[in-house]
Amino acid sequence: MRRLPACALVTTIVAATTAVAVLAGCGSSSDRALRTSLSALATPPAASTPAAPPAAPVRCGDPTASLRPAGGLPPPRRMPAGSYMARIQKRGRLVAGVDQNTLLFAYFNPATRRIEGFEVDVLREVARAIFGNPDAIELRAVTTAQRIPEVQSGAVDVVADAVTVNCERRRLVDFSSVYFAAAQRVLVPAASRARGLADLHGRRVCATRSSTSLARLERAPSHPTPYAVAQRTDCLVALQEGRVAAITSDDAILLGFKAQDPATRIVGPRLGDEPYGMAIAKGHPEFVRFVNGVLQRMRQDGTWRAIHRRWLGPFAPTPAPPEARYAG
Amino acid sequence: MVLVAVAAVGAALLMAGAVGSRQRAANAVATQSGPLLVQADELYASLADADATAATTFLTGGQEPPARRRRYLQDLRSASARLSNLAREVGDSSDAGAAVSQIATLLPVYSGSIEAARANNRQGFPIGAAYLREASDVMRGRILPAAGRLYAFEAQKLGDSYKSGTSWNGIVAFGAGAVLILAVLIAIQVALARRMRRNLNIPMAVATVLLIGLAAWGLAAMATEQRALGDAQRKGSDSVEVLSAARILSLRAQADEGLALVARGGGGQNLAEFDLIMRRLRPDGGLLGEAARLAERAGSAEEGASTATAFASYRAAHGRVAALQDQGRYADAVRLAVAVPGSESARAARLDATLAAQVAAAQKRFERAASRATSALSGLRIAIILIVAVSALLALAGLQLRMNEYR
């Protein structure tokens, strides 16, 4: 009789514990799927390629002086063996770096679905000189920060992207003779009272990263606040959204902005000359001479004027083509 | 007598408390955390789809195709609806509330930039592409991360509900309560039997039987609920989580592809991210492989095969488009990407639809299992209180009988 309570208790406890063990063994939760899915969603974005470091200021005489063209141009499809043009000819097309957002100079036209503009037409003349066919060209979009590295690395043969020729850049790449003479100015909203950088002390002024305009802006005596963007057109967006009070860039580019936003005005004195040259990788002087030969022909036979009239005619009178200067 | 009363109260508290907490957890899974996770997931997917659709809409230039425009607007409507549902449930104070209000503030900014892109694009102005870039930066840099935080918050809450719904504590407490009162009753019966030389005290015996029945029912119910919650997780919400992550990643890859094509050579970073995402997703060893494994566990092994096929087909199409981009033939690349039948975007849509269908199937499995869990415990708490009370009264009555006889 004594054993009964103890037995009963023990039996009950054992039964309960067994039940616990059985139940706990099945259906416990795990957060493995949660962790897997969350770590996948947290995949970080791919690292961006770093921008080219700013070159130290140097002096070099006349930066616009390029290599003299060597007599006449070779006929199309008969490029001299061993030259860079022969390499291009073998490839079958000229690879050129351009912007695709600069209205009038190089922009993607959705109506025709092609990149078009003044610079595109100039490059097509180079392609015509090599192949006899201006369509033998591949246009690659480049950003202002990446255009020099892309020429240096050989990803493109030549860049025509409103690149101002100066001594700093001449240390990195070669340039053709000047194909367009622009000047740096300022764009403000039509309602603004500013008439130039002098009126913009402490205000934000936009310029493209790695451009000569940004460099001049940073040195401006009235100390505006520089606001740098990765691509040119981002400045116009910033102006339209009121994030900046003004944009400073080449008047050629500003004309394109004004064409997209009539409620703006180009103001101020010429802040600096911006001679445009085509950038070519170092080590191919025969290609530089070849391109200069094409440009010289364009100056003489009226092609340059025709291209200028086609694109900029509605906005500015067609000047004489910029003179070429040679040194060697 | 006092002992009986104390034991009864203690047992009732333990057992009812255990069942109550399990029931709350099961309810939370079925009616709160589960559905909120679904809302957060669909919000995230709508936003990612809007980003992908907007990025590819302007590829063909000029006026956007009406079907894409409709899809983009549908995405925004769906995102707004989910956002207001979530705002109602989540409140202001927590991290989740902050994420909800951040998304609510930024979504109009995003859509405003997209409309500016559209207006400028119609006029052929390059600034349209700049507005598109700006919109995409807002979406990817701020809105999607906030949606991700919200999703992580809800998924974590669901995980916590599972844990409390399947933890040892519930069963141990229940078992302890049952053991307590049964032990007391049996001890008293045995003591009475020894003293009074009558073995059977009918009321107390009935009480004991009732309590044993209650214990059995309770343990069986808790076992069912635990197994059902386990099913809900293993066959339901685990698949939902992994498949949703895969779907959102594939939408991000689509947006990357679109942006790279719009950039026409300036989109190296986007293409690098595309490749990175493909590696993360791949069916052998990546996220889709994990999803296939979960599908097999849930008894739908063919799901893994169909996603692997859709993924391979999408990847092959991208390879062809990327080859054209490398050669600089952007017009052809764009055509292959969006315009032809069997285009890359068609295959991307198929992959997306496959994943979405599988997410929906997994959600259904989750809902069925979760409702099994809640119904397993229904009525148990009241039953515990009633039966323990009745048993206690019976035990007291039995004692009283003996006492009276004794006198």
Side-chain angles (χ1 to χ4, degrees):
Chain A
M1 270 303 192
R2 275 270 159 117
R3 272 182 272 129
L4 210 51
C7 270
L9 254 152
V10 165
T11 321
T12 329
I13 292 174
V14 166
T17 322
T18 323
V20 168
V22 165
L23 288 174
C26 64
S28 55
S29 75
S30 137
D31 63 351
R32 179 190 155 156
L34 170 64
R35 278 181 287 119
T36 313
S37 63
L38 287 182
S39 88
L41 285 171
T43 306
S48 58
T49 40
V58 286
R59 299 215 168 278
C60 63
D62 181 4
T64 62
S66 181
L67 296 174
R68 190 172 300 276
L73 287 170
R77 299 199 157 275
R78 306 251 189 87
M79 297 297 119
S83 67
Y84 193 74
M85 296 83 75
R87 213 193 295 178
I88 296 176
Q89 182 185 322
K90 186 151 174 259
R91 194 202 292 131
R93 62 194 190 284
L94 176 71
V95 178
V98 291
D99 193 38
Q100 61 159 350
N101 292 309
T102 308
L103 197 62
L104 309 176
F105 271 71
Y107 79 109
F108 179 70
N109 185 345
T112 60
R113 312 234 173 124
R114 287 155 44 149
I115 303 186
E116 299 178 337
F118 179 91
E119 282 166 334
V120 173
D121 280 354
V122 170
L123 288 166
R124 283 164 66 87
E125 291 303 313
V126 177
R128 193 203 300 269
I130 298 180
F131 294 99
N133 172 15
D135 294 325
I137 185 168
E138 169 192 327
L139 294 170
R140 275 195 198 223
V142 293
T143 61
T144 309
Q146 284 299 317
R147 58 196 180 184
I148 303 267
E150 295 225 356
V151 167
Q152 286 176 307
S153 71
V156 298
D157 298 320
V158 56
V159 159
D161 178 24
V163 186
T164 306
V165 186
N166 60 26
C167 292
E168 290 87 20
R169 288 175 178 156
R170 272 205 169 276
R171 299 180 76 205
L172 304 170
V173 290
D174 283 339
F175 281 101
S176 69
S177 57
V178 174
Y179 67 88
F180 192 89
Q184 182 178 351
R185 293 187 72 192
V186 173
L187 184 82
V188 294
S192 166
R193 284 198 293 264
R195 288 288 169 271
L197 280 185
D199 300 330
L200 291 164
H201 164 72
R203 313 283 303 283
R204 274 203 287 256
V205 178
C206 187
T208 322
R209 206 164 279 143
S210 305
S211 66
T212 49
S213 308
L214 183 65
R216 263 194 215 107
L217 178 65
E218 285 164 346
R219 295 195 298 265
S222 61
H223 298 296
T225 310
Y227 182 95
V229 295
Q231 299 204 37
R232 254 167 226 155
T233 345
D234 297 347
C235 268
L236 187 57
V237 171
L239 189 76
Q240 287 183 342
E241 293 184 340
R243 280 184 275 134
V244 297
I247 304 175
T248 181
S249 186
D250 309 337
D251 52 5
I253 295 169
L254 295 181
L255 271 178
F257 286 172
K258 193 165 158 49
Q260 294 177 74
D261 186 352
T264 53
R265 199 178 359 213
I266 300 180
V267 297
R270 291 167 71 102
L271 295 166
D273 285 329
E274 304 280 355
Y276 293 167
M278 289 189 259
I280 294 166
K282 283 193 181 295
H284 309 301
E286 75 281 5
F287 188 45
V288 178
R289 294 186 199 276
F290 180 84
V291 170
N292 285 341
V294 175
L295 285 173
Q296 190 58 27
R297 190 169 69 185
M298 284 168 61
R299 285 187 193 99
Q300 285 164 348
D301 69 3
T303 313
W304 191 94
R305 278 179 189 262
I307 295 176
H308 191 284
R309 233 189 333 266
R310 179 181 174 199
W311 292 105
L312 298 164
F315 303 99
T318 303
E323 267 183 32
R325 291 208 228 155
Y326 300 120
Chain B
M1 279 203 177
V2 171
L3 188 59
V4 169
V6 165
V9 166
L13 280 176
L14 275 174
M15 292 200 285
V19 168
S21 97
R22 279 284 182 104
Q23 193 163 16
R24 268 195 303 279
N27 272 338
V29 166
T31 61
Q32 281 179 24
S33 310
L36 282 182
L37 181 66
V38 167
Q39 296 277 334
D41 167 48
E42 291 184 359
L43 171 69
Y44 203 166
S46 301
L47 293 170
D49 194 65
D51 183 38
T53 308
T56 48
T57 289
F58 298 118
L59 274 181
T60 42
Q63 207 164 339
E64 75 273 64
R68 282 197 192 272
R69 174 81 179 150
R70 274 198 299 273
R71 181 165 153 194
Y72 165 79
L73 290 174
Q74 175 55 37
D75 285 332
L76 283 191
R77 270 199 295 272
S78 161
S80 300
R82 311 271 175 229
L83 198 60
S84 46
N85 284 343
L86 284 163
R88 248 201 329 266
E89 301 291 334
V90 152
D92 302 318
S93 47
S94 54
D95 287 338
V100 165
S101 58
Q102 189 176 13
I103 298 176
T105 316
L106 288 173
L107 210 47
V109 173
Y110 169 79
S111 64
S113 291
I114 292 284
E115 294 308 311
R118 198 169 156 245
N120 278 294
N121 232 38
R122 287 177 85 107
Q123 301 182 74
F125 290 159
I127 192 180
Y131 272 110
L132 177 63
R133 268 198 308 277
E134 182 187 68
S136 204
D137 284 344
V138 169
M139 176 58 86
R140 291 164 153 232
R142 299 172 70 193
I143 299 181
L144 286 178
R149 283 198 298 278
L150 192 54
Y151 175 81
F153 177 82
E154 294 298 337
Q156 193 63 54
K157 259 177 50 185
L158 182 63
D160 291 343
S161 297
Y162 277 135
K163 276 207 183 64
S164 73
T166 56
S167 73
W168 283 48
N169 304 343
I171 294 194
V172 167
F174 186 87
V179 163
L180 173 65
I181 187 136
L182 278 173
V184 163
L185 273 184
I186 291 178
I188 291 184
Q189 286 179 78
V190 164
L192 279 181
R194 269 197 332 199
R195 278 205 210 145
M196 316 274 167
R197 263 173 267 112
R198 270 173 66 175
N199 282 348
L200 192 56
N201 178 334
I202 293 189
M204 288 195 91
V206 168
T208 313
V209 165
L210 275 179
L211 285 170
I212 292 181
L214 175 68
W217 174 18
L219 286 172
M222 289 179 97
T224 310
E225 174 257 358
Q226 187 156 337
R227 185 166 288 133
L229 275 189
D231 278 352
Q233 187 181 44
R234 270 195 312 269
K235 297 185 183 169
S237 64
D238 274 359
S239 290
V240 168
E241 282 167 7
V242 172
L243 284 168
S244 305
R247 189 172 166 214
I248 285 163
L249 277 182
S250 83
L251 286 170
R252 192 156 130 192
Q254 283 176 54
D256 275 322
E257 171 91 279
L259 289 171
L261 282 170
V262 168
R264 293 180 149 256
Q269 190 181 346
N270 292 116
L271 287 175
E273 188 175 270
F274 185 97
D275 289 334
L276 180 67
I277 291 178
M278 289 290 115
R279 278 199 301 277
R280 242 17 244 270
L281 278 179
R282 62 187 199 286
D284 51 330
L287 202 57
L288 287 179
E290 179 74 12
R293 200 183 60 81
L294 291 173
E296 216 180 295
R297 198 169 70 174
S300 322
E302 73 282 4
E303 285 186 357
S306 64
T307 41
T309 319
F311 180 81
S313 146
Y314 176 47
R315 215 175 167 177
H318 169 78
R320 288 194 288 275
V321 171
L324 286 174
Q325 280 182 282
D326 281 340
Q327 295 167 34
R329 293 162 55 188
Y330 291 109
D332 294 331
V334 166
R335 210 176 10 253
L336 193 59
V338 301
V340 303
S343 65
E344 185 181 0
S345 74
R347 295 182 189 200
R350 209 178 95 208
L351 176 63
D352 192 56
T354 310
L355 289 171
Q358 290 183 9
V359 167
Q363 275 169 12
K364 281 218 168 42
R365 292 199 293 267
F366 167 82
E367 280 161 18
R368 278 200 301 268
S371 75
R372 273 207 319 271
T374 47
S375 60
L377 295 178
S378 64
L380 190 52
R381 272 180 87 185
I382 302 208
I384 289 176
I385 296 179
L386 281 178
I387 291 182
V388 168
V390 163
S391 309
L393 287 174
L394 282 174
L396 290 173
L399 270 179
Q400 197 66 30
L401 271 176
R402 287 290 163 266
M403 301 271 188
N404 293 345
E405 283 175 7
Y406 197 56
R407 285 198 213 107

